[in-house]
Amino acid sequence: DTGSPAFEIGPGSVLISNGTSPIQFNVATGATALISGTLTFSGTSHRLVAAMAGALTFTSGSVYETATGFSGSPFGTTGTADIAVFQAGSTYRHGAGGNPFGLAAPASRVVFQTGSEFVVLTPTGFVATGRTYSHLRIANSSAISTTGNGNLQFDNLFVESGSSFAHSGNGTASIRIRGNVGS
């Protein structure tokens, strides 16, 4: 069936790539990936890449996590923009490594649709300059400080107990909150 995903992690299923040798999952042109379960990269610079915009879909209830030892950008740093789409109800848990965007702002390898959540678990922070998140959750029990000359935009900001968040720029940078700030 040509409508079926070439790579799929079903609801309740878990795939962990945790070796010290990098693994790259390549979704070919014309093919798609559907992640409805949990995908975790740790140990080294694993990648999930695709050739087409929208080829990698993280559905409601899915979780993608970068954990101890992970390095780099999980969706690669070259090629087509907007290959990975985090739909409403999906979660990206940033515990290690580089940013998920992969390309220089305003281009991006990933799209965080309204209702998706980006959770910051590492004290080294996240990329803020020229980036858009939906729900941004600071959950690392420490202070995060980001700097940048571009705009940072998100729907809702949640700073959990014990965590703090500060953003500074050169006077032309702005933070645009389209929703709420809470804990």
Side-chain angles (χ1 to χ4, degrees):
D1 177 44
T2 58
S4 297
F7 179 89
E8 184 172 8
I9 301 172
S13 297
V14 177
L15 174 62
I16 299 171
S17 188
N18 184 28
T20 55
S21 296
I23 295 174
Q24 181 163 305
F25 300 92
N26 293 301
V27 177
T29 300
T32 61
L34 184 65
I35 294 87
S36 301
T38 300
L39 175 60
T40 301
F41 285 172
S42 62
T44 193
S45 57
H46 308 295
R47 301 287 179 264
L48 174 60
V49 298
M52 299 183 327
L56 312 176
T57 302
F58 291 81
T59 65
S60 180
S62 69
V63 176
Y64 172 74
E65 182 169 15
T66 59
T68 303
F70 176 77
S71 61
S73 294
F75 306 111
T77 58
T78 61
T80 304
D82 304 336
I83 63 165
V85 177
F86 282 79
Q87 295 178 337
S90 64
T91 302
Y92 184 114
R93 295 176 51 83
H94 179 67
N99 74 74
F101 299 103
L103 302 174
S108 176
R109 296 279 282 172
V110 65
V111 175
F112 293 106
Q113 291 182 340
T114 299
S116 65
E117 184 171 54
F118 187 86
V119 181
V120 180
L121 301 169
T122 174
T124 57
F126 61 98
V127 171
T129 301
R131 298 306 185 183
T132 300
Y133 298 90
S134 182
H135 302 311
L136 176 60
R137 182 174 302 277
I138 310 299
N140 64 359
S141 300
S142 64
I144 288 183
S145 178
T146 60
T147 60
N149 298 329
N151 299 327
L152 170 60
Q153 180 173 291
F154 43 85
D155 295 328
N156 299 291
L157 173 64
F158 304 99
V159 181
E160 293 187 0
S161 179
S163 301
S164 67
F165 171 64
H167 180 72
S168 61
N170 67 355
T172 62
S174 68
I175 294 179
R176 180 175 179 215
I177 304 170
R178 298 179 294 207
N180 302 303
V181 175
S183 59

